[in-house]
Amino acid sequence: MIVRWLWLALALIAWWFVRSLLRRRSGYGAGPRPTMGGPPRRAEMVRDRECNTYLPRESAIAVESDGETHFFCSDACRRSFLTRGGPAPG
């Protein structure tokens, strides 16, 4: 009876070893694993200095002036900021 258990244990170890080798060769498990229920990736937020709203950087209107970048949510906010004495666009 003990011999059967030893053979079973040996077979399981051999199966695990072969499976791990095959996974390594196929690239399975390489790199970070995707998370299904993880938190969503957050976009960098910037502030519109005219109306004080925050919006994602990639959807903001950017104006470079004197080495400083100003972000706006709309063209109306950008125009308002520039007409009331904001820096001239660079």
Side-chain angles (χ1 to χ4, degrees):
M1 183 73 170
I2 293 177
V3 174
R4 283 186 183 172
W5 284 109
L6 289 175
W7 277 110
L8 180 63
L10 185 61
L12 286 174
I13 290 171
W15 172 78
W16 176 80
F17 182 72
V18 169
R19 189 185 77 159
S20 65
L21 284 177
L22 290 175
R23 282 186 171 188
R24 239 182 260 149
R25 290 189 79 198
S26 69
Y28 181 81
R33 292 185 177 178
T35 57
M36 296 304 283
R41 195 176 71 157
R42 300 191 89 140
E44 179 184 357
M45 302 296 280
V46 293
R47 183 171 66 101
D48 180 334
R49 295 187 178 271
E50 186 61 26
C51 63
N52 289 322
T53 59
Y54 285 86
L55 66 152
R57 183 183 187 116
E58 60 268 3
S59 63
I61 299 170
V63 174
E64 290 280 334
S65 177
D66 298 328
E68 190 174 353
T69 305
H70 301 277
F71 297 99
F72 302 98
C73 66
S74 66
D75 196 43
C77 281
R78 183 189 62 83
R79 278 194 311 262
S80 176
F81 179 75
L82 293 175
T83 57
R84 70 177 177 80

